[in-house]
Amino acid sequence: MSTVTKDNYHFFTYTNESLLTSAPKGVCIEFHGLNLTCSYAEPEERAKRFADQGIILVKPMTNPWSWMNPQAFSITETIMDILEEKYPQVKGNLALAGGSMGGYEALMYSVYTKRHLLSCTVNCPLCDCEQFRADDPWRAKTIMCAHYEDGDFDKSLHDRSPINNIDKMPGIKYTVFQCTADSIINKEVQADKFVEKAKGTLDISYYLSESSEHCELTPEMWEKHDSIIFSSFANINI
């Protein structure tokens, strides 16, 4: 029996269901970044915009250092099972998003899940775990904690890097946003290299948020970010 059930799933995820004014047509899972230790208790203005579009915004509360490990994947899949049972019309209408570790998780969830996806939109994502260890071993240890059961850490970093899983990513629209003044994720060896390698294999677009720190998109870039997600659902009618 799953720990996450239809009666308690709100303990494990934020959703904007209370803000919906009509039957939803789809779901957007937005994965959180590293070290998040609180839940989303109050609706954001942004969550209202998703609700106005008929989109359930889901923000799973997995673990501050989850890195799409088996637990995080299982919890997310269970939450989606519950939502698809509650709202059958949303099945197959799923978009992914996330920033930093959450961007990594969105990319890797697209590799692991068997669900039909519409798009994946990420903000300052970690794309190369091996490079991350070389650049920032202190933060990279959180990946070791998340995937401790893998055993061979060198192999784990390689196998669990989005840049090494491009050929397993589905044929959906991928969009990467990167802040040019990012002091946490090295743009040149992370997003730049991922996008360049993905060209010709994925349908991928790349946008730079000038002079912005880690995940702090300008208002114009946030508008573009969310409009890309909304456009994923443009042709869905229920």
Side-chain angles (χ1 to χ4, degrees):
M1 180 178 179
S2 175
T3 302
V4 185
T5 71
K6 64 180 180 180
D7 298 316
N8 71 8
Y9 72 97
H10 285 103
F11 288 118
F12 298 90
T13 187
Y14 166 81
T15 79
N16 65 346
E17 291 170 86
S18 65
L19 304 176
L20 293 168
T21 57
S22 60
K25 61 183 179 181
V27 176
C28 176
I29 304 175
E30 186 165 68
F31 297 99
H32 67 74
L34 190 69
N35 290 332
L36 182 72
T37 57
C38 61
S39 60
Y40 300 91
E42 298 296 330
E44 307 171 351
E45 182 61 35
R46 185 161 166 265
K48 295 177 183 177
R49 293 200 300 273
F50 275 75
D52 290 343
Q53 295 285 330
I55 301 167
I56 301 175
L57 182 62
V58 176
K59 297 188 176 189
M61 299 293 130
T62 51
N63 185 297
W65 295 356
S66 52
W67 292 107
M68 197 42 62
N69 63 5
Q71 179 195 52
F73 180 72
S74 178
I75 289 175
T76 304
E77 288 285 87
T78 302
I79 291 167
M80 282 305 304
D81 286 342
I82 292 167
L83 290 173
E84 288 178 356
E85 181 178 354
K86 188 174 181 180
Y87 308 102
Q89 72 275 15
V90 306
K91 189 171 184 178
N93 302 332
L94 175 59
L96 306 176
S100 194
M101 181 185 77
Y104 166 93
E105 292 201 304
L107 291 170
M108 293 308 294
Y109 183 82
S110 79
V111 173
Y112 298 149
T113 191
K114 302 301 182 185
R115 298 180 192 277
H116 179 266
L117 303 175
L118 299 175
S119 65
C120 182
T121 306
V122 294
N123 176 11
C124 298
L126 181 76
C127 303
D128 186 334
C129 298
E130 294 172 291
Q131 183 66 53
F132 191 50
R133 179 172 62 172
D135 292 342
D136 193 343
W138 178 251
R139 286 192 179 92
K141 77 180 176 83
T142 64
I143 307 175
M144 181 188 297
C145 291
H147 295 289
Y148 179 79
E149 299 299 328
D150 283 358
D152 185 338
F153 192 50
D154 290 333
K155 184 176 186 301
S156 179
L157 287 176
H158 178 274
D159 293 350
R160 294 187 181 279
S161 291
I163 200 166
N164 297 325
N165 284 276
I166 290 170
D167 61 334
K168 299 182 181 70
M169 293 179 180
I172 60 174
K173 176 66 177 177
Y174 284 85
T175 307
V176 177
F177 287 81
Q178 178 62 49
C179 297
T180 61
D182 195 331
S183 60
I184 294 176
I185 298 294
N186 186 324
K187 169 183 172 294
E188 286 75 19
V189 298
Q190 294 291 340
D192 285 2
K193 286 179 65 176
F194 175 78
V195 172
E196 185 61 32
K197 186 175 180 180
K199 288 178 179 177
T201 301
L202 301 179
D203 178 3
I204 192 164
S205 298
Y206 193 24
Y207 296 96
L208 299 179
S209 185
E210 298 294 340
S211 303
S212 301
E213 247 295 353
H214 184 59
C215 286
E216 295 180 2
L217 300 180
T218 64
E220 295 77 16
M221 284 291 107
W222 268 122
E223 182 69 26
K224 183 178 287 291
H225 177 283
D226 288 352
S227 69
I228 288 170
I229 296 173
F230 295 157
S231 69
S232 303
F233 298 89
N235 297 321
I236 295 172
N237 298 303
I238 59 169

